[in-house]
């Protein structure tokens, strides 16, 4: 029996991992071990571990790592403290492979701990680009610490191979979000309004903004320009979701709270919808706006126009329904008006593959040879004579 450990640190990555967790739990040849960490354990961010428990998963280890401070030095110190915390849990679990998704500091610290312990890592969503955030460097670092790779597009698969990973360890099984959308029975507009206490009139903008320290401008300047653009459009209702635990989050969350308090007649705030609620609210929205990856992934797949602000998602493929205006309120306002005038977009999920990511990935995790220690050779691209 192969022991597969899976780490989840945020509401977003859990929504993408849930299908895979179900497949692994149902496989008699697999022993699933679930590590819960990050903002899942924070009351201030909605303690979304409760969603995991409601879904019936056993949490094998809860690993708190964040101090509650959000400065760069604080984040660096928290990551340094997270590595031994993860190492102790992983040493006790002794899994055959650790599954990580994405590019956040939680995943980077866990990958570092696993590498030091010679525990193989399987990485989901490698090979992508987010040039306006430190996540870009973290993601590629996790790729180099990982043995198996599951990418969301063929282009991302080629990029992981370009980073020196052997092609037979890099798989394009489709993107997890395609599975999630295929299996979810989204809530009708009225049920979203009732369940979460929000209003979703037409038009409504669904907004999520996360600070990014390497962005084109400071997080506060970007969020101020965005909020000014939103308020300048008469009759536009705005539903805002909570920010991630990132450097600069406290200031951004304070600014958003001030905005909601100043405009109660046309704004609602939800700390965490959960995946079902968020995607249901997105389908009911007229436009999705901010710098979350959902502006360039979930919104296009659902056929909802979106406006992505700043450089946090720069480098990702953009569908025709996604606009990326300069960071000034006039440009953002024009992009929002164009998106609202254009109406629903044509859904486009082809680049992300067909449903079945969870099933295919679970089979690979179960059956693929995963040596320990996970020794690798660097795969040089043929014909590249540069030195």
């Amino acid at each position: 029996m192969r022991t597969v450990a899976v780490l989840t640190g945020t509401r977003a990555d859990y929504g993408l991992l849930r299908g895979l967790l179900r497949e692994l739990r149902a496989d008699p040849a697999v022993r699933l071990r679930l590590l819960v960490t990050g903002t899942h354990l924070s009351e201030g961010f909605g303690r979304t571990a409760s969603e995991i428990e409601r879904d019936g998963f056993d949490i094998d280890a809860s690993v708190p790592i964040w101090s509650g401070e959000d400065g760069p030095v604080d984040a660096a110190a928290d990551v340094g403290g997270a590595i031994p915390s993860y190492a102790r849990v992983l040493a006790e679990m002794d899994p055959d492979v650790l599954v990580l998704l994405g590019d956040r500091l939680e995943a980077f610290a866990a990958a570092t701990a696993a590498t030091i312990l010679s525990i193989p890592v399987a990485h989901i969503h490698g090979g992508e680009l987010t040039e306006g955030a430190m996540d870009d460097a973290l993601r590629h670092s996790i790729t180099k610490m990982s043995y198996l790779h599951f990418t969301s597009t063929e282009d991302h698969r080629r990029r992981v191979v370009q980073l020196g990973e052997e092609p037979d360890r890099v798989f394009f099984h489709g993107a997890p979000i395609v599975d999630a959308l295929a299996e979810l029975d989204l809530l009708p507009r009225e049920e979203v309004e009732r369940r979460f206490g929000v209003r979703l009139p037409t038009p409504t903008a669904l907004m999520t903004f996360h600070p990014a320290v390497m962005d084109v401008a400071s997080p506060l300047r970007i969020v101020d320009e965005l909020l000014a653009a939103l308020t300048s459009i008469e009759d536009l209702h705005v539903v805002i979701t909570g920010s991630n635990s990132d450097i600069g989050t406290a200031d951004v969350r304070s600014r958003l709270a001030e905005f909601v308090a100043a405009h109660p007649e046309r704004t609602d705030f939800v700390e965490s919808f959960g995946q079902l609620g968020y995607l249901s609210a997105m389908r009911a929205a007229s436009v999705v706006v901010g710098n979350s990856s959902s502006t360039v992934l979930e919104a296009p797949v659902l056929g909802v126009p979106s406006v992505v602000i700043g450089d946090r998602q720069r480098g990702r493929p953009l569908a025709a329904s996604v606009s990326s205006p300069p960071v000034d309120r006039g440009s953002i306002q024009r992009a929002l008006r164009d998106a609202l005038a254009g109406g629903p977009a044509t859904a486009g999920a082809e680049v992300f593959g067909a449903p079945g990511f969870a099933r295919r990935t679970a089979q690979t995790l179960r059956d693929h040879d995963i040596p320990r220690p996970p020794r690798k050779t660097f795969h040089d691209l043929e014909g590249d004579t540069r030195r």
Side-chain angles (χ1 to χ4, degrees):
M1 181 174 286
R2 176 166 284 181
T3 299
V4 179
V6 181
L7 180 139
T8 175
T10 71
R11 65 196 185 200
D13 71 43
Y14 173 67
L16 298 176
L17 288 167
R18 181 164 39 202
L20 176 60
L21 292 172
R22 288 173 178 155
E23 290 285 341
L24 293 169
R25 182 178 60 181
D27 193 327
V30 171
R31 181 184 295 109
L32 173 64
R33 293 290 181 262
L34 184 57
L35 285 73
V36 174
T37 187
T39 56
H40 280 310
L41 306 177
S42 169
E43 295 294 342
F45 289 87
R47 200 189 175 276
T48 47
S50 59
E51 181 181 346
I52 300 171
E53 295 163 338
R54 284 196 301 270
D55 286 340
F57 291 109
D58 293 327
I59 297 175
D60 296 281
S62 296
V63 187
I65 61 170
W66 297 130
S67 63
E69 303 298 327
D70 69 343
V73 174
D74 303 304
D78 287 347
V79 170
I83 293 173
S85 296
Y86 289 139
R88 284 188 285 270
V89 170
L90 290 171
E92 182 177 347
M93 285 186 176
D94 194 29
D96 297 295
V97 61
L98 169 66
V99 178
L100 303 173
L101 184 147
D103 47 37
R104 288 182 54 80
L105 289 168
E106 298 96 327
F108 174 76
T112 302
T115 298
I116 294 170
L117 295 175
S118 295
I119 295 172
V121 174
H123 186 211
I124 301 169
H125 272 295
E128 302 180 12
L129 298 178
T130 48
E131 297 169 359
M134 74 168 73
D135 301 350
D136 204 50
L138 298 177
R139 183 187 310 104
H140 301 323
S141 299
I142 296 168
T143 288
K144 294 310 300 178
M145 290 190 280
S146 299
Y147 189 81
L148 293 180
H149 309 271
F150 304 104
T151 68
S152 62
T153 73
E154 282 286 5
D155 283 344
H156 298 153
R157 180 184 181 276
R158 285 191 287 271
R159 193 171 288 135
V160 169
V161 173
Q162 183 182 342
L163 285 167
E165 298 301 292
E166 296 174 356
D168 63 356
R169 294 187 283 103
V170 188
F171 301 89
F172 169 47
H173 285 335
I177 188 59
V178 178
D179 270 17
L181 289 171
E183 71 179 26
L184 284 177
D185 186 11
L186 297 182
L187 304 172
R189 178 190 302 263
E190 295 77 14
E191 178 62 16
V192 177
E193 292 179 322
R194 185 194 66 78
R195 186 176 299 189
F196 296 99
V198 299
R199 296 155 288 176
L200 293 167
T202 300
T204 289
L206 179 63
M207 173 189 159
T208 303
F209 182 84
H210 306 300
V213 296
M214 298 173 67
D215 214 326
V216 64
S218 72
L220 283 181
R221 185 199 153 202
I222 295 174
V223 80
D224 282 345
E225 294 299 307
L226 173 54
L227 294 175
L230 288 166
T231 54
S232 69
I233 299 177
E234 189 177 356
D235 297 328
L236 178 63
H237 192 75
V238 184
V239 176
I240 302 173
T241 70
S243 300
N244 282 339
S245 175
D246 292 315
I247 295 171
T249 289
D251 288 339
V252 168
R253 291 172 73 88
S254 177
R255 190 64 52 87
L256 293 177
E258 292 171 2
F259 178 80
V260 173
H263 302 277
E265 74 288 350
R266 58 180 301 188
T267 61
D268 290 299
F269 178 83
V270 177
E271 180 61 54
S272 175
F273 275 105
Q275 186 184 55
L276 175 62
Y278 183 66
L279 294 176
S280 299
M282 181 179 292
R283 185 178 65 173
S286 309
V287 63
V288 178
V289 62
N291 65 357
S292 163
S293 60
S294 61
T295 58
V296 299
L297 182 54
E298 284 94 331
V301 172
L302 281 174
V304 181
S306 59
V307 178
V308 58
I309 308 301
D311 284 348
R312 189 170 185 266
Q313 301 302 330
R314 184 175 297 277
R316 292 192 190 271
L318 299 184
S321 60
V322 182
S323 61
S324 180
V327 180
D328 67 79
R329 61 194 66 188
S331 297
I332 298 170
Q333 182 202 70
R334 287 189 291 273
L336 286 168
R337 289 192 182 280
D338 288 345
L340 293 169
T346 301
E350 295 80 7
V351 68
F352 300 112
F357 163 85
R359 173 178 50 80
R360 291 187 285 268
T361 301
Q363 290 174 351
T364 302
L365 289 168
R366 180 193 65 201
D367 298 334
H368 198 281
D369 180 42
I370 306 178
R372 187 166 178 186
R375 295 180 58 186
K376 304 189 298 184
T377 58
F378 193 95
H379 176 78
D380 285 308
L381 298 181
E382 293 182 8
D384 190 345
T385 60
R386 292 174 293 176
R387 293 292 185 267

